[in-house]
Amino acid sequence: MSLKPSSSARSIDPYRMMDGRPTFSHVATSTGPSRIIITAGQVGADENGIVPATPSDQIALAFENLSRCLEAAGAGVADILKLTYYIVNYDPKNRHHAPHLIKFLNGHRPATTLVPVTALANPEYLFEIEATAAVAQAPTQTVDVVVVGAGLSGLQTAYDLQKAGFSCVVVEARDRVGGKTWSVEPIASGKVIDLGAAWVNDTNQTRVHALAKKLGLATVVQNTKGNVIQHDLDDSKSTFVYGTVPLLAEINGTENMVYVRDLVEETCQQLDLYKITPAGKDLDKLTLEEFVKAQEKGESAFATVTIWTRVMLGLEPSEMSALFFLDYCNRGGGFLQMRSDKRHGGQYMRLVQGTQSLSKGLTELLAPGTVILNSPVRLIRQDGSGGAYVSSGRGDFKCRKVVVSVPTPLYKEITFVPALSEAKTTLSSSTVLGYTSKAMLMYDTPWWRTANLCGMVQSFKGPVAATRDTSNDDKKQYSLTCFLVGDWGREQSKKTKAERHQGIISHIRELFSPFVEVPEPITIIEHEWAKDQWAQGCPCPATPPGIMSQYGHAMTTVHGNVHFVGTETAVKWKGYMEGAIESGERGAEEVIKSLTKAKL
Amino acid sequence: MSLKPSSSARSIDPYRMMDGRPTFSHVATSTGPSRIIITAGQVGADENGIVPATPSDQIALAFENLSRCLEAAGAGVADILKLTYYIVNYDPKNRHHAPHLIKFLNGHRPATTLVPVTALANPEYLFEIEATAAVAQAPTQTVDVVVVGAGLSGLQTAYDLQKAGFSCVVVEARDRVGGKTWSVEPIASGKVIDLGAAWVNDTNQTRVHALAKKLGLATVVQNTKGNVIQHDLDDSKSTFVYGTVPLLAEINGTENMVYVRDLVEETCQQLDLYKITPAGKDLDKLTLEEFVKAQEKGESAFATVTIWTRVMLGLEPSEMSALFFLDYCNRGGGFLQMRSDKRHGGQYMRLVQGTQSLSKGLTELLAPGTVILNSPVRLIRQDGSGGAYVSSGRGDFKCRKVVVSVPTPLYKEITFVPALSEAKTTLSSSTVLGYTSKAMLMYDTPWWRTANLCGMVQSFKGPVAATRDTSNDDKKQYSLTCFLVGDWGREQSKKTKAERHQGIISHIRELFSPFVEVPEPITIIEHEWAKDQWAQGCPCPATPPGIMSQYGHAMTTVHGNVHFVGTETAVKWKGYMEGAIESGERGAEEVIKSLTKAKL
């Protein structure tokens, strides 16, 4: 199944001209109706204007920025018609840019001009590159429903709609389906790693379990056999049996931590899934940090809470209201269940083929041609004449209903005409997406098990906040997943990838070496969701104090003919794949009801 | 009523990239079918290659040239996808171009690349800028008639055609309707100034009067109360009562002038509006200068004739045949009537809301969507299969008939396939458009009236050739309109605007200060019609000797399915708004007759 749209760009090498291989052609044309995309000159400076120290890193960053620009418009390298690059102090004998260019182009050969210059806009810049691209445009299609986003929620909506007999397309900005379900095989086929969502269970996550079963997907139970490593505030490393509590260095640390844990469990269980109680309203006046610190239970307890919010949401306890966090836990059956790696817990099992197989499987169940990739939606217009007009990177649509499945902070990437309500706009601008990057260290063997370690760590010192054994023994895929999350993750994110990876490997060695000999990983792989323009963070947007109680109700309010889904709108297992599916079902149901009523 | 087309250009700021505000975005795309427009690098050099002295003026001129390029293609700043600019001796600490760029962009942010260079094509050039723009294309429309140009004649044609039941669009190059009727409010709402056509009467200009009445437009009678100032050849300033003749310094000057005036009146009255008489043919062998100089009536008489041709046509007596001028006068009821500011005269009254209100009013009477702005027509093709194909800046049209309402010299801006007849081509290339710029000096009070001056001047010395009081007392709009016309106007046009305005203000002071204290104007406003690419001069094309008698007949000849209107084709009040309306009616009548015949 290839959903990739073909390029409208065509390169031509006129007869008897200088050979442009491997990087350029003399002519490029765009065939058929297309959208023209032009980038500004891209230099090697990051979002803060910081220019890397070496020319090579600067050039690499310029290409990265160029890729980002193209991606923002739904274009890829193969869509480029023309590249112009400007080089300061160009030396024909020393073409620093060439390896970067060859790697970037990956065989594509656009028309190209190299311009040596004496300087660029800023004296630090040594290299600048700009592109003109063309993206084929399909003729305007008329469908019943356009779903924006081919993550699990959007795909589920489309599936339900098609089953009910409605025509539907799913328009996706990325070059793949799955949203934050993304499974890759970095070292070998079958040795699958989940860069995003990973865990499910087969008891209270009924929807995701049913889907996995329907698709015939094999599961693997999360390893909890053996000891967890505790990296304490005093830098000591100790171990404790999974399911028990660590013996913390701080006086009364363990009891205090248990007190706070039980308070969180108890308080969250008292909330109501369907309305905000008076107690909930009060909890929305505080940050989670304020709520916890008011208990005066010391440093370790707070360090533990910080690990929870980091690992669960990529955020600090100061960044969300107490209500948000407790409500979030309640939707997963309570704090203890949500945090558990055991049966009924949030991290009980994984999918052998990775969680993206859920999204891919759902896609296969849709009518051919339903999903349109590389096609960011930038405009949703309702002119009052009924229905809506959706403009996307690869073509436009007239439809009766739109279902938007992207996270609230990404609403700003779409121009809504008329504009979204104030409540929705406030939600979109107030919700915060966390920094979550799972760095996966892949090994030849599950070496930690030899020392009766389950592969789980919790660290009060960082940079890695927690780890999990994410191996699949049947496939001989052995890996430790390291959570770079919250402020520690943001800090790591400022480093170069090499520096960051070295830091992770060092921390893993520091954590495990008191108990076992630590080998070098075969590879390390990660995806910085916070830098991903179609995620902008991970896993689920949170709200600071005051937002949830005042605007939370607007999350699922329809906007004319536009409906809203996504795991953050779920009643149960919000932030999880289960919640995504639930919300997708709810969205489809809303649309079906409204379209069926319209027929009568 | 907003007729402005929306832009197809869309800027994108990808998530987490360097902030491009206020001048650029990282990505620009064009949505939907569009016409791509690419300009050459524009430098700060005028049409003669002259480069302004200061870098700032050079940059300003480059932006002005860029605007002209875009306008020529029906594009505006908001349609720009990409700007690339090249700067010699670029200093990042001293970005001279920045204020010009910000002003030019007016909030739009295209993708942009700045390229410092050591030199440009010419050593004088310090700055060069090029643009890529996209203009949304409407799907090809099929209509009965396409009218080219939304001036009064074109709008009148469209009005009559729609009244007769034919579908019709009016395709206009400018961003407004009205052609050379253009009314602005430079200092305050209601204080309207006419940059172009200004005067009408309510007796023999029946069509324009009827239209003004139908639209409920108020009129104001031209002030002729008090004395006119005569600026004589010996530089003396004297006054005479409006309607009498000045006492000229030259011996017999006054009598000679009267002689020539009466000769012109008598000769013009003997011409035939519907055919060229043998006497007329003879008059077409001479320039008006030759005709007048043959009378040997001295300098003052010729200076007076020169003021006539300048003020009436923006031209010198040497630039038109005697026949052209006399015929022109005859069509306005004779020289005396045409020149008169009194009842029945050509300058008897003005419109309180300005003459553009005629064009706007007519537009309002058309079916919604009839007028398409910013859409220059560049191609009119007839392939012999009947009807015509019109290609315009915002979309193409299939139609049965085309009505071209632009002045003959602008036919060259349109590619006719098949080409126009030799006679029409000769007319188009031989007719001359004058230099007419009305510089309006606006004041708090009509100070000239305190000295019993009517605000009218005629100057034999320049730079201002004549003035008129163009106040509207009810609105407390007080202004003197200064005619910068003919060779004097062309001379002034070479100066910078500041120099030119200073020269006008000085001349006004020089003219009036012998009689009254002259205050500084609140503001001065002008429009150089000769530099306006959709006018190329003003008010009415004239013909040099030999053209009118040989090719004049071809003015209204149809070209297959293409008809021609415009005030220069009028039988009466040629060059005036009355003539424009008459010609529009005639064009509609021709088309209706021919389409009705086709039906039978």
Side-chain angles (χ1 to χ4, degrees):
Chain A
M1 175 186 63
S2 173
L3 299 171
K4 302 240 166 142
S6 64
S7 172
S8 79
R10 181 175 293 271
S11 296
I12 303 174
D13 291 310
Y15 181 59
R16 296 186 73 168
M17 288 188 72
M18 194 162 57
D19 192 349
R21 286 172 295 181
T23 55
F24 77 91
S25 297
H26 288 280
V27 187
T29 79
S30 165
T31 306
S34 60
R35 183 189 298 262
I36 291 294
I37 293 150
I38 304 191
T39 75
Q42 294 302 312
V43 296
D46 70 11
E47 59 186 308
N48 304 310
I50 307 297
V51 177
T54 73
S56 176
D57 285 347
Q58 201 185 118
I59 296 169
L61 182 52
F63 278 106
E64 207 177 289
N65 286 334
L66 181 62
S67 296
R68 254 179 126 66
C69 288
L70 293 170
E71 192 192 348
V77 167
D79 299 313
I80 297 174
L81 297 173
K82 173 82 197 294
L83 282 180
T84 304
Y85 45 99
Y86 305 89
I87 302 178
V88 178
N89 300 329
Y90 176 66
D91 173 6
K93 290 185 193 122
N94 224 330
R95 292 161 48 91
H96 298 295
H97 69 285
H100 297 279
L101 180 66
I102 291 168
K103 188 178 158 206
F104 171 80
L105 288 173
N106 192 26
H108 180 58
R109 292 193 293 122
T112 301
T113 303
L114 184 165
V115 187
V117 290
T118 50
L120 289 165
N122 178 317
E124 286 177 279
Y125 302 159
L126 300 173
F127 181 80
E128 183 158 352
I129 184 161
E130 62 183 36
T132 301
V135 166
Q137 294 296 285
T140 300
Q141 267 189 67
T142 301
V143 291
D144 289 327
V145 185
V146 172
V147 176
V148 180
L152 264 181
S153 60
L155 293 168
Q156 182 65 45
T157 300
Y159 175 75
D160 286 359
L161 286 171
Q162 292 192 349
K163 220 168 64 178
F166 294 98
S167 62
C168 168
V169 292
V170 182
V171 188
E172 167 60 44
R174 301 177 193 277
D175 62 357
R176 59 170 181 82
V177 298
K180 286 187 281 282
T181 63
W182 188 16
S183 312
V184 295
E185 295 165 318
I187 53 169
S189 172
K191 301 199 176 191
V192 177
I193 283 288
D194 275 315
L195 293 169
W199 287 277
V200 297
N201 77 41
D202 58 354
T203 52
N204 50 51
Q205 295 190 350
T206 53
R207 290 173 171 92
V208 71
H209 175 60
L211 177 60
K213 223 171 141 185
K214 176 157 72 181
L215 297 171
L217 302 175
T219 53
V220 51
V221 169
Q222 179 60 34
N223 178 27
T224 54
K225 216 179 119 193
N227 292 330
V228 181
I229 297 173
Q230 169 70 33
H231 185 189
D232 210 341
L233 288 169
D234 66 354
D235 223 11
S236 68
K237 287 92 189 172
S238 60
T239 64
F240 62 98
V241 174
Y242 182 88
T244 66
V245 291
L247 186 62
L248 298 172
E250 190 184 8
I251 297 169
N252 295 327
T254 302
E255 293 137 87
N256 284 341
M257 184 271 283
V258 169
Y259 175 87
V260 169
R261 183 194 72 190
D262 292 348
L263 176 70
V264 163
E265 175 67 11
E266 192 186 342
T267 316
C268 86
Q269 293 285 6
Q270 285 162 5
L271 295 172
D272 186 320
L273 291 177
Y274 297 95
K275 64 170 198 287
I276 295 172
T277 60
K281 265 185 199 158
D282 285 344
L283 287 166
D284 203 34
K285 291 174 184 156
L286 304 170
T287 65
L288 180 63
E289 173 169 336
E290 288 162 349
F291 173 79
V292 173
K293 289 200 166 161
Q295 314 305 322
E296 298 185 346
K297 292 295 174 188
E299 271 188 82
S300 305
F302 186 67
T304 307
V305 172
T306 301
I307 288 185
W308 298 341
T309 60
R310 287 177 174 174
V311 171
M312 291 164 76
L313 291 152
L315 292 164
E316 301 297 303
S318 60
E319 292 179 284
M320 64 194 73
S321 78
L323 175 64
F324 175 86
F325 182 76
L326 295 165
D327 173 82
Y328 190 75
C329 295
N330 189 33
R331 293 180 189 277
F335 172 77
L336 293 177
Q337 178 172 292
M338 189 175 249
R339 289 285 299 146
S340 169
D341 294 9
K342 292 286 198 186
R343 193 145 200 233
H344 316 305
Q347 287 71 238
Y348 177 51
M349 40 174 50
R350 287 171 285 107
L351 299 176
V352 172
Q353 295 162 259
T355 60
Q356 197 183 3
S357 56
L358 294 166
S359 303
K360 287 178 175 171
L362 259 178
T363 304
E364 295 277 13
L365 298 177
L366 298 174
T370 298
V371 177
I372 297 151
L373 298 180
N374 297 101
S375 196
V377 167
R378 293 291 187 184
L379 172 71
I380 298 176
R381 199 178 65 215
Q382 303 176 77
D383 62 5
S385 65
Y389 184 87
V390 177
S391 183
S392 87
R394 306 260 156 189
D396 295 351
F397 302 89
K398 284 179 189 159
C399 60
R400 300 166 71 193
K401 298 281 170 189
V402 180
V403 179
V404 172
S405 78
V406 305
T408 44
L410 272 89
Y411 292 176
K412 67 176 180 299
E413 301 295 333
I414 302 172
T415 304
F416 289 87
V417 179
L420 293 177
S421 69
E422 200 203 321
K424 265 201 192 304
T425 306
T426 305
L427 268 181
S428 169
S429 60
S430 306
T431 45
V432 222
L433 266 163
Y435 185 94
T436 301
S437 175
K438 297 196 302 177
M440 325 275 197
L441 278 57
M442 301 190 78
Y443 298 96
D444 284 328
T445 59
W447 48 268
W448 52 91
R449 297 185 198 159
T450 59
N452 194 33
L453 294 167
C454 67
M456 188 172 170
V457 164
Q458 73 171 9
S459 171
F460 290 168
K461 303 286 283 180
V464 174
T467 67
R468 285 289 193 297
D469 177 344
T470 45
S471 306
N472 177 358
D473 293 27
D474 282 354
K475 304 279 183 186
K476 295 193 169 31
Q477 183 275 88
Y478 302 110
S479 56
L480 283 181
T481 288
C482 304
F483 286 84
L484 296 179
V485 282
D487 279 353
W488 286 348
R490 291 170 183 143
E491 208 48 54
Q492 291 300 310
S493 176
K494 290 179 194 156
K495 298 182 176 174
T496 68
K497 195 185 259 196
E499 285 169 348
R500 182 167 64 245
H501 288 184
Q502 217 34 67
I504 295 164
I505 291 168
S506 296
H507 192 202
I508 291 299
R509 175 168 298 108
E510 179 195 344
L511 290 164
F512 284 85
S513 56
F515 314 104
V516 61
E517 197 178 324
V518 182
E520 282 295 303
I522 305 169
T523 191
I524 176 165
I525 182 164
E526 61 164 341
H527 181 67
E528 290 196 82
W529 292 98
K531 287 187 179 169
D532 178 329
Q533 59 187 319
W534 307 123
Q536 304 190 4
C538 180
C540 182
T543 52
I547 299 298
M548 195 166 174
S549 49
Q550 202 179 340
Y551 301 105
H553 64 89
M555 191 76 85
T556 55
T557 308
V558 298
H559 174 63
N561 292 305
V562 185
H563 297 246
F564 298 85
V565 302
T567 188
E568 71 181 296
T569 71
V571 175
K572 287 191 181 169
W573 289 107
K574 171 176 177 173
Y576 284 67
M577 292 179 283
E578 175 72 10
I581 297 174
E582 181 216 284
S583 82
E585 289 177 357
R586 190 256 311 149
E589 206 175 297
E590 281 176 17
V591 168
I592 291 167
K593 196 179 280 179
S594 128
L595 289 181
T596 312
K597 199 160 47 177
K599 264 191 217 160
L600 298 179
Chain B
M1 175 184 65
S2 172
L3 301 171
K4 303 238 167 144
S6 64
S7 172
S8 81
R10 181 176 291 270
S11 295
I12 302 174
D13 292 307
Y15 181 62
R16 295 187 72 166
M17 289 189 70
M18 199 160 51
D19 193 346
R21 287 170 295 178
T23 55
F24 78 90
S25 296
H26 287 282
V27 188
T29 79
S30 163
T31 306
S34 60
R35 182 190 299 263
I36 291 296
I37 293 149
I38 302 191
T39 76
Q42 295 302 312
V43 295
D46 70 11
E47 59 187 309
N48 304 309
I50 307 296
V51 177
T54 72
S56 176
D57 285 346
Q58 200 184 122
I59 295 168
L61 182 54
F63 277 106
E64 204 178 306
N65 287 334
L66 181 61
S67 295
R68 259 179 120 68
C69 290
L70 294 170
E71 191 193 348
V77 167
D79 299 312
I80 298 174
L81 296 173
K82 174 82 197 295
L83 283 180
T84 304
Y85 46 98
Y86 305 90
I87 302 178
V88 177
N89 299 329
Y90 173 69
D91 174 5
K93 291 187 194 117
N94 224 332
R95 292 161 50 93
H96 298 295
H97 68 285
H100 297 279
L101 180 65
I102 290 169
K103 188 178 157 206
F104 171 78
L105 289 174
N106 193 24
H108 181 58
R109 293 193 293 124
T112 300
T113 302
L114 184 167
V115 188
V117 290
T118 50
L120 289 164
N122 177 316
E124 287 178 279
Y125 302 159
L126 300 174
F127 182 81
E128 183 159 352
I129 184 161
E130 63 184 35
T132 301
V135 167
Q137 294 296 287
T140 300
Q141 266 190 66
T142 301
V143 290
D144 290 325
V145 186
V146 172
V147 176
V148 180
L152 264 182
S153 60
L155 292 169
Q156 182 66 46
T157 300
Y159 176 74
D160 287 358
L161 286 171
Q162 291 191 347
K163 218 168 65 178
F166 294 97
S167 64
C168 167
V169 292
V170 183
V171 187
E172 166 61 45
R174 302 178 192 277
D175 62 358
R176 59 170 181 83
V177 298
K180 286 187 282 283
T181 63
W182 188 15
S183 312
V184 297
E185 296 165 317
I187 52 170
S189 173
K191 302 200 177 190
V192 177
I193 283 287
D194 275 316
L195 293 170
W199 286 277
V200 297
N201 77 40
D202 59 354
T203 52
N204 51 50
Q205 293 190 352
T206 53
R207 289 174 173 90
V208 71
H209 174 59
L211 177 59
K213 223 171 141 184
K214 176 156 75 181
L215 297 171
L217 302 176
T219 51
V220 50
V221 169
Q222 177 59 35
N223 178 27
T224 53
K225 215 180 121 192
N227 292 330
V228 180
I229 297 173
Q230 169 69 34
H231 185 191
D232 211 340
L233 287 169
D234 66 353
D235 225 10
S236 68
K237 286 91 189 172
S238 60
T239 64
F240 61 98
V241 175
Y242 181 88
T244 67
V245 289
L247 186 63
L248 299 173
E250 190 184 7
I251 295 169
N252 296 329
T254 302
E255 294 135 87
N256 285 340
M257 184 272 283
V258 168
Y259 175 87
V260 169
R261 183 195 73 190
D262 292 347
L263 176 69
V264 162
E265 175 67 12
E266 191 187 344
T267 317
C268 87
Q269 292 287 5
Q270 284 161 7
L271 296 173
D272 186 321
L273 293 177
Y274 298 95
K275 64 172 196 288
I276 294 174
T277 60
K281 265 186 199 159
D282 285 343
L283 286 166
D284 204 35
K285 290 174 185 155
L286 303 170
T287 65
L288 180 64
E289 174 168 337
E290 287 162 347
F291 173 79
V292 173
K293 288 202 168 161
Q295 312 305 321
E296 298 185 344
K297 291 296 175 187
E299 270 188 85
S300 305
F302 186 68
T304 307
V305 172
T306 302
I307 288 184
W308 298 340
T309 60
R310 285 177 176 174
V311 172
M312 291 163 75
L313 291 153
L315 292 164
E316 301 297 303
S318 60
E319 292 179 284
M320 65 195 73
S321 78
L323 175 64
F324 175 86
F325 182 75
L326 296 165
D327 174 80
Y328 190 75
C329 295
N330 189 32
R331 293 181 189 278
F335 171 77
L336 294 176
Q337 177 172 295
M338 188 175 250
R339 290 285 298 144
S340 169
D341 293 11
K342 291 287 198 184
R343 192 144 202 235
H344 315 305
Q347 286 72 238
Y348 177 50
M349 41 174 51
R350 286 170 286 109
L351 299 177
V352 172
Q353 294 161 262
T355 59
Q356 198 183 3
S357 56
L358 293 166
S359 304
K360 288 178 174 172
L362 260 178
T363 304
E364 295 274 14
L365 298 177
L366 299 174
T370 299
V371 177
I372 297 152
L373 298 179
N374 296 101
S375 196
V377 166
R378 293 293 188 184
L379 172 71
I380 298 175
R381 198 179 66 218
Q382 302 176 77
D383 61 5
S385 66
Y389 185 88
V390 177
S391 182
S392 87
R394 307 258 156 190
D396 295 351
F397 301 89
K398 284 179 190 158
C399 60
R400 300 165 71 192
K401 298 283 171 188
V402 180
V403 179
V404 171
S405 78
V406 305
T408 44
L410 273 88
Y411 293 176
K412 68 177 178 299
E413 302 295 333
I414 302 171
T415 303
F416 290 88
V417 179
L420 293 177
S421 68
E422 199 204 321
K424 267 201 191 304
T425 307
T426 306
L427 266 181
S428 169
S429 60
S430 308
T431 46
V432 222
L433 265 164
Y435 184 93
T436 301
S437 175
K438 298 196 301 177
M440 326 276 196
L441 277 59
M442 301 190 78
Y443 298 96
D444 284 328
T445 59
W447 48 268
W448 53 92
R449 296 185 199 160
T450 58
N452 194 34
L453 294 168
C454 68
M456 186 172 171
V457 164
Q458 73 171 10
S459 171
F460 289 169
K461 303 286 283 182
V464 174
T467 68
R468 285 288 193 297
D469 177 344
T470 45
S471 306
N472 177 358
D473 291 27
D474 283 352
K475 303 280 182 185
K476 293 193 167 34
Q477 183 275 90
Y478 303 110
S479 55
L480 283 181
T481 289
C482 304
F483 286 83
L484 295 179
V485 282
D487 279 352
W488 286 348
R490 292 170 184 142
E491 207 49 52
Q492 290 300 308
S493 176
K494 290 178 195 159
K495 298 183 177 174
T496 67
K497 194 185 259 195
E499 287 169 348
R500 183 165 65 245
H501 288 184
Q502 218 33 66
I504 294 164
I505 291 168
S506 297
H507 192 202
I508 290 298
R509 176 169 297 111
E510 179 195 344
L511 290 165
F512 283 84
S513 57
F515 314 104
V516 61
E517 198 178 325
V518 181
E520 282 293 302
I522 305 169
T523 191
I524 176 164
I525 182 164
E526 60 163 341
H527 181 65
E528 290 196 82
W529 291 98
K531 287 187 179 169
D532 178 330
Q533 60 188 319
W534 307 122
Q536 304 188 4
C538 180
C540 182
T543 51
I547 299 299
M548 196 167 174
S549 49
Q550 202 178 341
Y551 300 105
H553 65 89
M555 191 74 84
T556 55
T557 310
V558 298
H559 174 64
N561 291 304
V562 184
H563 297 247
F564 297 85
V565 301
T567 189
E568 70 181 296
T569 71
V571 175
K572 287 192 181 168
W573 288 107
K574 172 176 176 174
Y576 283 67
M577 291 179 282
E578 175 72 10
I581 297 174
E582 181 216 285
S583 82
E585 288 177 358
R586 190 256 311 149
E589 207 175 295
E590 281 175 19
V591 168
I592 292 168
K593 196 179 280 177
S594 126
L595 288 181
T596 312
K597 200 159 47 177
K599 266 191 215 156
L600 298 178

